[in-house]
Amino acid sequence: MTGVQGDRPGPAPEQRVLPVTDRLWTVPNLLSMVRLALVPVFVWSLLRHELGWAALVLVVAGASDFADGKIARHYGLTSRLGQVLDPVADRLYIAATVLGLAAVSVIPWWLVAVLFAREAFIVLMYPVVRRHALPIPEVTFIGKAATFNLLGGFPLLLLGHVEGWWTVLSLACGWALVWWGTVLYWVTGVTYGWQVAHMVRQRRDAGRVVR
């Protein structure tokens, strides 16, 4: 057969490496900034018990989270600022959302503890990352899926607490997305821990070879 040499597989196709720029004012970065700016709007809507408006804000936030990654990859607008700003915006939005939803009794406080325990797990690895000068792992598909499920499920839970024909359906779909998002959120945390441990072992092995 053409292209086959014995039983040995041919060379693996080269992966496309997206360039990373130092530009600040890109469309993806602006979308992340908008997501950050919407955090106080969401909190204000909850405090006024405007659950419909709060749900709309979450929908806009979820759409911007999906759009900024797509635009960055498609148009080569991946930037160093965006690599930091996007996950920070995601985490801040999720933190504000879960605290706000628990405060108005839309979700239980134990779910807040589960989600924040994952964040604490990530924070505890920071001294190791800093000590070994490790690079920040890129946002994975599973990580984006976790964020998408959570930011998709939370507005549905809010709508489920607004009287209407959609109440039962919104609660069922919302809880399904939130449960999947929570599981994937922890999967990404464990994966990140494994990546950090792997990089530390590589640095130590390289140090032994140099000596």
Side-chain angles (χ1 to χ4, degrees):
M1 293 177 62
T2 304
V4 177
Q5 299 176 352
D7 293 328
R8 293 176 300 172
E14 294 184 0
Q15 295 182 345
R16 181 189 175 195
V17 179
L18 296 176
V20 179
T21 71
D22 292 320
R23 294 172 59 187
L24 301 180
W25 301 109
T26 65
V27 173
N29 288 349
L30 289 174
L31 288 174
S32 294
M33 293 175 188
V34 167
R35 195 154 68 254
L36 284 171
L38 286 175
V39 171
V41 177
F42 169 74
V43 174
W44 178 81
S45 299
L46 280 183
L47 292 176
R48 292 179 57 87
H49 295 281
E50 298 287 348
L51 300 187
W53 284 108
L56 179 60
V57 172
L58 288 185
V59 170
V60 173
S64 71
D65 179 59
F66 175 79
D68 63 14
K70 281 285 188 181
I71 293 172
R73 289 187 295 270
H74 188 270
Y75 294 100
L77 294 175
T78 302
S79 66
R80 302 186 194 283
L81 175 63
Q83 289 177 331
V84 176
L85 186 61
D86 182 54
V88 167
D90 288 345
R91 285 184 172 86
L92 181 58
Y93 223 105
I94 290 175
T97 300
V98 296
L99 289 174
L101 295 186
V104 295
S105 301
V106 172
I107 63 174
W109 282 102
W110 61 261
L111 179 58
V112 178
V114 170
L115 293 172
F116 273 81
R118 187 267 193 184
E119 291 303 310
F121 175 71
I122 297 295
V123 170
L124 288 174
M125 287 185 286
Y126 176 73
V128 178
V129 172
R130 183 180 178 87
R131 186 185 317 124
H132 294 275
L134 301 178
I136 299 175
E138 294 183 2
V139 178
T140 64
F141 173 78
I142 296 178
K144 299 299 287 185
T147 303
F148 178 80
N149 281 326
L150 290 174
L151 292 182
F154 288 143
L156 289 174
L157 292 182
L158 277 172
L159 285 178
H161 285 75
V162 177
E163 291 296 331
W165 59 266
W166 56 81
T167 301
V168 175
L169 181 61
S170 293
L171 285 174
C173 293
W175 276 115
L177 288 174
V178 167
W179 283 124
W180 272 111
T182 301
V183 171
L184 294 176
Y185 207 51
W186 264 101
V187 168
T188 58
V190 174
T191 301
Y192 179 73
W194 179 86
Q195 289 175 330
V196 169
H198 179 67
M199 287 188 289
V200 169
R201 285 195 300 269
Q202 285 184 323
R203 293 288 174 91
R204 287 175 178 171
D205 291 343
R208 293 193 192 102
V209 171
V210 170
R211 293 189 188 96

